[in-house]
């Protein structure tokens, strides 16, 4: 298998980037024995160092994109990996991914971090354009428009990747805010680098001959490692000088560990700090291992130091250092633009004297990080090689849609981000009058037309089941957005042990859900404890069963509402081989509706009519009014606990009365 690795400007004097690529290469070689790797880098020595082929760093270091399409066609997969390339160089990232996809090559994003903002350099108006825009006060509007266009490209390109893994939850949340909510979470692959402890006595400074031509590491005094980056340089260098002087006055030694062996070295030597001579990730990690604490404005010194067991303090230049330190329950000391260097000095001196609970915290954090990374690695390898779990069935996802142009792309993006992937996705568009069908057509779906005549849900569902070719059918409404890449597996896996099971997902309220809608959703779904006390509960909006269950016993084609409840209730009460309804709390979709009073009345009247058919019984106004009173009391208690919900307190009894009276009318 041939894989092209790129995505960051490799070979351009960034030791952190070299640590990433070395770790990714090692991981893939260990995981896929016959893999042939090519790395896009400006340093041809990478070929010999890592045992890979090399090509130019297309899009970086003055290297144009010309020739990339021809190069990527020679490979089976293109992996954009590591660093914060997707937010630092978003246009380059998307250009390369689109070109690879256009060439028919599988694309992946691996271990990438997202800064808390897209690189502002790419969203500034310049020159004459800025002058003209400023005359009309449109500079801000223009720059916002550029960012929104880029976000639209992200939402368009990333769903066509066969897998997207980010290095931390914060990055995944940032990417979700840009329109791609389906990234998986791994960890920075550089944590796989060997920590070198075997070379040291007693886990710290040993008597081995140091590779560095100065005496610092033979010192018996505390050692402080420092890296001040020239990228978004610290504003208050005088504060740094005061810190250096105070550390030396305490009797500790200071060693510079430049992550850019040219520019960082020049800056720190200008501050009077002697630097290590090594320029490889291994040299950096060995140096960090012999320090008592390191302070850095570059992320990967903190990572390599933590690999070696050394505590780290961070000066932020963006969100990535804060994201990393959060794994250890710690925060940055400040940022490059605004930092209290006297407070930093105090923290450094304290850390040089006492490691505190660092070793315990570090071990716990690395246990979680490596577990996360291993799960993601296995997932990446299975997608690269096309292997799925043994015995995994063919899954057909059936999507009913009507006027959902704002949500169907997110839903289909989530569906196509699942692993194992669905065998097919079938969309039935119910005569939408908006762009629903056009949005769905952007994905590799198969369209089918709903049966002619008046819409009856059972008729459409039976038609979809007949069209499906999979062993298992998954029903997922066009407005039920999968929240993560594990939704499909979590929904399907319970069926593998029981061919008479019908599983349904956990529906989370949307961010814009009203508080009463949120409360009802949490009671109906959540951990499942409340629904377990009800007579019966099921929702087809996101659900799955074996196709044969539905071909043997189709949905009722006459009932207008609750066709899903009718089928599962009827078949769960069979004397011989009943269907088992299974709730899957770990299969998450986002699905809720802020119904108006009129919409509530229509829905509950329809459900009341269906309940009379399904469950029997007689309508009771007293019972309905008592239910409205009980639910109103629950509403008020819930709303009172959250200031955001206070405005809905007056409407609660009205909505409950409308629901219950409409249900009573339907029962009649």
């Amino acid at each position: 298998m041939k894989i092209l690795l790129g995505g960051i400007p490799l070979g351009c004097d960034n030791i952190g980037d070299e640590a990433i690529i070395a770790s990714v290469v090692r991981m893939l070689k260990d995981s896929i024995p016959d893999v042939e790797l090519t790395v896009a880098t400006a340093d041809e020595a990478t070929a010999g160092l890592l045992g890979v082929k090399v090509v130019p760093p297309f899009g970086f270091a003055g290297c144009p994109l010309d020739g990339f399409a021809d190069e990527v066609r020679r490979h089976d997969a293109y992996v954009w990996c590591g660093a914060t390339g997707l937010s630092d160089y978003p246009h380059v990232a998307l250009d390369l991914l689109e070109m690879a996809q256009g060439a028919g090559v599988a694309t992946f994003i691996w271990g990438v971090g997202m800064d808390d903002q897209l690189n502002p350099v790419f969203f500034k108006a310049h020159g004459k354009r800025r002058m003209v825009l400023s005359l009309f006060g449109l500079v801000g509007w223009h720059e916002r428009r550029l960012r929104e266009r880029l976000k639209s490209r992200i939402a368009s390109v990333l769903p066509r990747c066969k897998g997207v893994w980010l290095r931390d939850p914060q990055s995944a949340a940032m990417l979700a805010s840009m329109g791609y909510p389906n990234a998986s979470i791994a960890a920075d692959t550089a944590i796989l680098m060997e920590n070198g402890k075997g070379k040291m006595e007693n886990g710290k400074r040993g008597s081995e001959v140091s590779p560095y031509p100065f005496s610092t590491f033979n010192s018996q005094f505390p050692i402080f490692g420092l890296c001040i980056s020239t990228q978004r340089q610290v504003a208050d260098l005088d504060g740094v000088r005061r810190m250096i002087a105070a550390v030396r006055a305490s009797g500790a030694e200071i060693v510079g560990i430049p992550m850019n062996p040219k520019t960082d070295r020049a800056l720190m030597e200008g501050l009077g700090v002697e630097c290590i001579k090594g320029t490889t990730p291994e040299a950096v990690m060995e140096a960090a291992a012999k320090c008592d604490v390191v302070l850095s404005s570059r992320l990967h010194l903190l990572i390599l130091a933590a690999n070696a067991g050394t505590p780290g303090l961070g000066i932020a230049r963006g969100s990535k250092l804060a994201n990393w330190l959060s794994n250890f329950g710690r925060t940055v000391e400040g940022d490059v633009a605004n930092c209290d260097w006297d407070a930093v000095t105090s923290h450094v001196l304290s850390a040089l004297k006492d490691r505190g609970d660092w070793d315990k915290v570090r071990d716990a954090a690395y246990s979680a990080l490596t577990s996360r990374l291993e799960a993601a690695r296995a997932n990446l390898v299975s997608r690269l090689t096309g292997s799925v779990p043994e015995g995994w069935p063919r899954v057909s996802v059936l999507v009913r849609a009507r006027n959902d142009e704002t949500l169907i792309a997110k839903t289909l993006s989530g569906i196509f981000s699942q692993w194992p992937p669905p065998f097919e996705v079938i969309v039935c568009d119910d005569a939408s009058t908006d762009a629903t069908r056009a949005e769905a057509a952007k994905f590799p779906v198969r369209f089918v037309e709903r049966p002619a005549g008046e819409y009856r849900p059972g008729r459409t569902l039976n038609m979809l089941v007949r069209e499906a070719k999979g062993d298992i059918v998954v029903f997922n409404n066009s407005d039920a957005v999968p929240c993560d890449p594990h939704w499909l597996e979590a929904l399907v896996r319970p069926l593998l042990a029981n061919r008479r099971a019908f599983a349904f997902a956990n529906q989370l309220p949307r961010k814009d859900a009203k508080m009463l809608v949120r409360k009802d959703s949490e009671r109906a779904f959540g951990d499942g404890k409340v629904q377990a006390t009800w007579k019966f509960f099921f929702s087809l909006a996101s659900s799955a069963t074996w196709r044969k269950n539905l071909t043997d016993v189709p949905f009722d084609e006459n009932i207008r509402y609750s066709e899903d409840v009718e089928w599962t209730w009827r078949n769960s009460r069979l004397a011989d081989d009943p269907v088992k309804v299974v709730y899957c709390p770990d299969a998450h979709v986002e699905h809720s509706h802020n119904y108006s009073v009129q919409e509530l009345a229509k829905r509950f009247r329809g459900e009341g009519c269906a309940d009379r058919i399904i469950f029997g019984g007689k309508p009771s106004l007293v019972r309905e009014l008592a239910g409205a009173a009980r639910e109103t009391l629950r509403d008020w208690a819930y709303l009172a606990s959250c200031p955001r919900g206070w405005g809905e307190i007056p409407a609660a009894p009205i909505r409950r009365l409308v629901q219950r009276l409409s249900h009573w009318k339907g029962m009649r």
Side-chain angles (χ1 to χ4, degrees):
M1 182 177 194
K2 297 181 179 180
I3 302 174
L4 175 58
L5 302 174
I8 44 180
L10 295 167
C12 297
D13 299 311
N14 187 319
I15 296 174
D17 290 346
E18 303 304 323
I20 292 170
I21 200 64
S23 301
V24 172
V25 166
R26 173 187 163 189
M27 179 188 76
L28 291 175
K29 285 186 173 182
D30 289 346
S31 303
I32 309 173
D34 61 345
V35 72
E36 182 179 303
L37 298 175
T38 302
V39 173
T41 175
D43 187 358
E44 294 185 358
T46 301
L49 289 172
L50 301 182
V52 297
K53 295 181 179 180
V54 297
V55 295
F58 299 100
F60 297 107
C63 181
L65 294 175
D66 299 344
F68 174 75
D70 290 336
E71 183 60 51
V72 78
R73 283 192 185 94
R74 301 186 182 101
H75 296 82
D76 301 299
Y78 174 62
V79 181
W80 173 281
C81 57
T84 48
L86 197 56
S87 54
D88 288 352
Y89 316 102
H91 298 89
V92 178
L94 297 173
D95 286 345
L96 291 170
L97 288 168
E98 277 191 311
M99 291 175 72
Q101 290 166 356
V105 176
T107 56
F108 299 83
I109 294 175
W110 172 257
V112 169
M114 293 293 293
D115 215 334
D116 54 4
Q117 63 174 338
L118 295 171
N119 191 339
V121 170
F122 298 106
F123 306 97
K124 297 289 186 184
H126 300 284
K128 293 181 180 179
R129 174 174 291 181
R130 186 176 185 86
M131 291 175 60
V132 173
L133 290 169
S134 63
L135 290 175
F136 299 96
L138 296 175
V139 174
W141 168 83
H142 175 72
E143 294 177 351
R144 286 192 299 273
R145 186 163 169 261
L146 292 177
R147 285 192 291 271
E148 290 306 314
R149 282 183 177 179
L150 193 282
K151 291 178 182 178
S152 295
R153 282 192 72 196
I154 286 175
S156 172
V157 174
L158 266 59
R160 299 200 295 270
C161 293
K162 291 191 68 175
V164 177
W165 292 266
L166 301 189
R167 68 186 175 200
D168 49 58
Q170 298 91 334
S171 294
M174 180 63 180
L175 196 56
S177 72
M178 296 180 184
Y180 186 78
N182 297 299
S184 298
I185 300 170
D188 196 298
T189 319
I191 68 171
L192 295 176
M193 295 205 73
E194 296 293 339
N195 63 26
K197 282 187 176 180
K199 298 180 180 179
M200 293 176 281
E201 295 177 359
N202 301 321
K204 197 169 181 285
R205 294 185 292 278
S207 59
E208 75 279 5
V209 177
S210 171
Y212 308 105
F214 55 92
S215 61
T216 295
F217 288 141
N218 294 322
S219 170
Q220 295 305 306
F221 297 103
I223 298 176
F224 171 49
L226 178 66
C227 179
I228 300 296
S229 172
T230 53
Q231 282 189 329
R232 292 186 62 189
Q233 186 173 302
V234 168
D236 184 10
L237 288 178
D238 287 336
V240 179
R241 291 186 181 95
R242 291 197 308 273
M243 178 192 67
I244 291 170
V247 170
R248 283 177 174 152
S250 74
E253 298 278 4
I254 301 178
V255 59
I257 309 178
M259 296 302 287
N260 183 309
K262 295 179 180 177
T263 59
D264 292 357
R265 178 186 301 279
L267 174 61
M268 287 190 288
E269 288 179 346
L271 295 171
V273 176
E274 190 174 10
C275 296
I276 67 170
K277 305 303 181 186
T279 60
T280 66
E282 292 79 8
V284 165
M285 193 154 55
E286 187 173 351
K290 298 179 181 182
C291 295
D292 294 271
V293 66
V294 298
L295 173 70
S296 177
S297 63
R298 283 193 183 263
L299 170 65
H300 279 84
L301 175 54
L302 297 184
I303 293 178
L304 296 177
N307 286 357
T310 301
L313 305 175
I315 305 296
R317 49 185 187 91
S319 60
K320 53 190 176 182
L321 273 76
N323 294 349
W324 168 254
L325 290 171
S326 69
N327 292 304
F328 309 91
R330 303 190 175 193
T331 60
V332 293
E333 302 297 307
D335 61 53
V336 292
N338 183 21
C339 190
D340 183 347
W341 285 99
D342 293 331
V344 175
T345 300
S346 176
H347 292 166
V348 169
L349 294 176
S350 176
L352 286 169
K353 293 178 182 178
D354 184 7
R355 294 167 66 91
D357 63 351
W358 165 256
D359 295 320
K360 179 180 178 181
V361 169
R362 185 263 180 203
D363 289 347
Y366 263 62
S367 176
L369 287 168
T370 52
S371 175
R372 207 164 74 196
L373 184 60
E374 172 55 26
R377 179 207 62 79
N379 204 330
L380 170 67
V381 170
S382 66
R383 297 195 191 198
L384 281 167
T385 59
S387 60
V388 298
E390 185 176 353
W392 192 257
R394 299 185 306 170
V395 176
S396 297
V397 180
L398 312 180
V399 179
R400 288 181 294 168
R402 178 173 171 80
N403 292 340
D404 267 327
E405 65 178 356
T406 61
L407 289 172
I408 193 168
K410 291 182 179 179
T411 298
L412 292 173
S413 171
I415 290 171
F416 283 103
S417 297
Q418 300 301 307
W419 188 263
F423 169 70
E424 63 178 352
V425 179
I426 302 174
V427 174
C428 178
D429 177 36
D430 181 17
S432 293
T433 56
D434 63 4
T436 294
R437 192 179 184 102
E439 289 295 314
K442 296 177 181 178
F443 297 84
V445 303
R446 176 159 63 95
F447 286 100
V448 297
E449 304 303 322
R450 78 166 176 85
E454 182 185 18
Y455 177 73
R456 293 291 178 92
R459 293 175 64 203
T460 299
L461 292 170
N462 289 335
M463 178 272 296
L464 282 167
V465 171
R466 289 193 298 270
E467 288 285 339
K469 295 180 174 60
D471 307 301
I472 284 176
V473 292
V474 171
F475 299 101
N476 200 77
N477 289 358
S478 59
D479 62 346
V481 181
C483 295
D484 56 58
H486 314 296
W487 155 77
L488 187 60
E489 181 186 10
L491 193 58
V492 168
R493 191 163 291 282
L495 307 182
L496 304 184
N498 186 350
R499 288 186 171 263
R500 290 288 284 165
F502 209 141
F504 68 102
N506 185 354
Q507 299 178 30
L508 308 180
R510 303 189 206 286
K511 292 179 181 178
D512 66 348
K514 293 180 179 179
M515 293 303 293
L516 285 179
V517 173
R518 191 173 296 277
K519 173 248 182 185
D520 287 350
S521 180
E522 291 170 0
R523 278 177 58 79
F525 297 96
D527 59 11
K529 291 181 179 178
V530 174
Q531 61 169 259
T533 66
W534 297 343
K535 179 178 181 180
F536 191 76
F537 183 70
F538 179 78
S539 175
L540 193 74
S542 183
S543 58
T545 191
W546 290 91
R547 180 174 174 271
K548 189 175 186 302
N549 291 330
L550 297 170
T551 55
D552 288 351
V553 183
F555 288 100
D556 187 321
E557 297 192 358
N558 295 312
I559 194 168
R560 294 173 181 268
Y561 279 88
S562 303
E563 71 289 343
D564 52 344
V565 174
E566 190 280 332
W567 192 96
T568 48
W569 170 255
R570 172 163 46 95
N571 285 277
S572 66
R573 299 174 73 239
L574 295 174
D576 182 32
D577 199 15
V579 165
K580 180 181 180 182
V581 174
V582 179
Y583 174 55
C584 303
D586 295 329
H588 300 113
V589 294
E590 192 177 72
H591 184 243
S592 61
H593 296 282
N594 290 326
Y595 287 128
S596 67
V597 171
Q598 293 79 8
E599 290 169 331
L600 278 177
K602 180 181 178 181
R603 181 175 184 86
F604 275 80
R605 184 164 184 161
E607 290 185 357
C609 182
D611 285 352
R612 178 71 178 270
I613 296 170
I614 298 168
F615 302 113
K618 296 180 179 180
S620 169
L621 182 58
V622 172
R623 186 170 61 243
E624 298 286 8
L625 292 176
R630 285 195 303 271
E631 206 58 45
T632 298
L633 292 176
R634 291 194 189 100
D635 291 342
W636 283 344
Y638 184 86
L639 296 172
S641 67
C642 178
R644 177 185 164 191
W646 292 354
E648 295 183 41
I649 289 176
I654 298 172
R655 296 179 71 85
R656 295 307 176 189
L657 277 172
V658 167
Q659 289 177 355
R660 292 293 186 156
L661 289 174
S662 298
H663 189 266
W664 173 69
K665 290 180 180 179
M667 287 282 288
R668 295 180 67 194

